[in-house]
Amino acid sequence: MKVLITGSNGQLGRALKKIFPDHIAVDAEELDITNLNKVVNFNIDDCKAIINAAAYTRVDEAEKEENVKIAETINVSGVTNLVDLAETNEIPLVHVSTDYVFDGTKNGEYTEVDEINPLNIYGRTKAQGDKEAQRAERFYIFRTSWVIGDGNNFVRTMISLAEKGINPTVVDDQFGRLTFTNTLAAAIEFALTNNVPYGVYNLTNSGSIVSWFDIAKKTFELTGHDPSRVLGISTEEYYKDKENIAARPKNSALKLDKIKASGFKPRSWEYELKEYIKKELAN
């Protein structure tokens, strides 16, 4: 299946390029998705889908007044333009969303139909982008959380700190599951090639719901370091006296029943973390 992949140099974009060998992959320099004229005139002959992996994801930076418009332009206007391209070519749009559209106050896992209530600018723009994506006649929205892939991410940071002998302090009151980009890319490929009904899907790895603190300790353990070196701290204490910090949802756990019912069964984050660290240590 030939597809157009935006945000091709990000963590998800790199995973998508591996799983879709026949692709047109573009970054912001090759296709500015915020420029409607460039988008609608971009040649995507023979493409069977558009996968939007492009986004402004600098959560704290988005809180600065000078960056709000940038986040809105990429996360909202960019999606609007890709909807137009998808509609013109009569192909589906796959859009990647986030747990940050929720406020994290729910007792239990979030479903696809739960009310959104973003706490920060990033979450607000992503929620608006979701609404734009749903204007498409054929759309998939994959709502995900805590993404780990080929690029700068939490697990790589913990591995580096462990090896340097640094004992990190990690928040212990935000809960969810990791999403590995190979799992997310595989789910997208599965949906596009198995006639999965269009709509919104939660997609993370399966497994127990844990905190960032728990993941940090597990990373230390799997790299042969003492997990007791990792210290827990509340979100409030961690960000105290820091400026331009975006509010984070305390509960980022997403219910996976709908994606599992489609036939796609994501493996546990525990398994994927173990495999990911094996590869990291081998490189």
Side-chain angles (χ1 to χ4, degrees):
M1 174 181 284
K2 186 176 181 181
V3 298
L4 171 67
I5 301 169
T6 67
S8 63
N9 290 328
Q11 291 190 98
L12 176 57
R14 293 170 186 172
L16 287 166
K17 286 187 288 187
K18 291 179 181 178
I19 211 163
F20 290 99
D22 189 11
H23 60 251
I24 300 173
V26 294
D27 59 18
E29 291 185 1
E30 294 162 316
L31 177 61
D32 179 2
I33 65 170
T34 70
N35 186 315
L36 177 59
N37 186 57
K38 289 184 178 179
V39 170
V40 296
N41 288 297
F42 193 78
N43 185 358
I44 57 169
D45 287 350
D46 301 323
C47 281
K48 303 302 182 185
I50 298 169
I51 306 174
N52 181 32
Y56 184 97
T57 58
R58 298 173 184 168
V59 178
D60 292 324
E61 289 294 310
E63 295 295 305
K64 297 179 181 178
E65 186 176 351
E66 64 268 25
N67 293 330
V68 173
K69 187 62 178 178
I70 299 171
E72 290 175 341
T73 302
I74 297 171
N75 293 346
V76 186
S77 301
V79 180
T80 303
N81 295 341
L82 291 174
V83 168
D84 289 344
L85 182 62
E87 293 299 277
T88 299
N89 289 273
E90 299 183 337
I91 58 176
L93 172 67
V94 180
H95 178 64
V96 180
S97 187
T98 172
D99 58 299
Y100 275 50
V101 301
F102 298 119
D103 61 18
T105 61
K106 181 179 179 178
N107 182 20
E109 297 169 292
Y110 280 96
T111 71
E112 289 81 358
V113 297
D114 280 327
E115 184 178 355
I116 61 174
N117 185 33
L119 298 176
N120 54 47
I121 300 297
Y122 166 70
R124 189 190 76 197
T125 61
K126 290 297 290 183
Q128 291 171 334
D130 289 2
K131 289 181 180 179
E132 289 301 303
Q134 291 178 68
R135 291 193 305 105
E137 183 178 348
R138 310 165 187 86
F139 73 86
Y140 293 107
I141 294 175
F142 286 93
R143 190 172 286 147
T144 190
S145 69
W146 300 13
V147 175
I148 306 294
D150 180 11
N152 295 327
N153 62 61
F154 179 81
V155 173
R156 281 189 172 174
T157 298
M158 290 302 114
I159 293 172
S160 176
L161 294 178
E163 292 175 344
K164 292 175 181 176
I166 298 172
N167 301 337
T169 301
V170 181
V171 293
D172 57 11
D173 58 354
Q174 295 176 27
F175 295 90
R177 299 185 185 96
L178 295 177
T179 308
F180 287 84
T181 53
N182 62 332
T183 300
L184 180 51
I188 292 170
E189 192 267 347
F190 181 88
L192 288 171
T193 57
N194 287 277
N195 295 317
V196 171
Y198 296 119
V200 180
Y201 291 84
N202 290 339
L203 194 286
T204 68
N205 284 95
S206 61
S208 55
I209 297 168
V210 293
S211 69
W212 286 114
F213 172 65
D214 296 321
I215 292 167
K217 288 197 298 180
K218 192 66 177 177
T219 301
F220 268 60
E221 177 189 326
L222 291 172
T223 53
H225 297 275
D226 182 0
S228 68
R229 287 172 48 195
V230 182
L231 306 175
I233 191 173
S234 70
T235 300
E236 183 180 2
E237 282 297 312
Y238 184 82
Y239 288 113
K240 190 172 71 174
D241 300 327
K242 295 183 175 71
E243 295 182 354
N244 296 311
I245 298 299
R248 264 81 167 165
K250 294 290 186 71
N251 175 18
S252 291
L254 304 177
K255 198 170 185 63
L256 302 175
D257 288 6
K258 185 176 179 181
I259 191 65
K260 288 180 178 178
S262 77
F264 184 81
K265 304 293 193 293
R267 289 190 291 204
S268 73
W269 69 262
E270 293 97 333
Y271 174 86
E272 290 292 352
L273 179 62
K274 197 174 294 184
E275 293 301 302
Y276 182 86
I277 289 175
K278 278 183 190 176
K279 292 177 183 176
E280 289 295 300
L281 295 181
N283 290 334

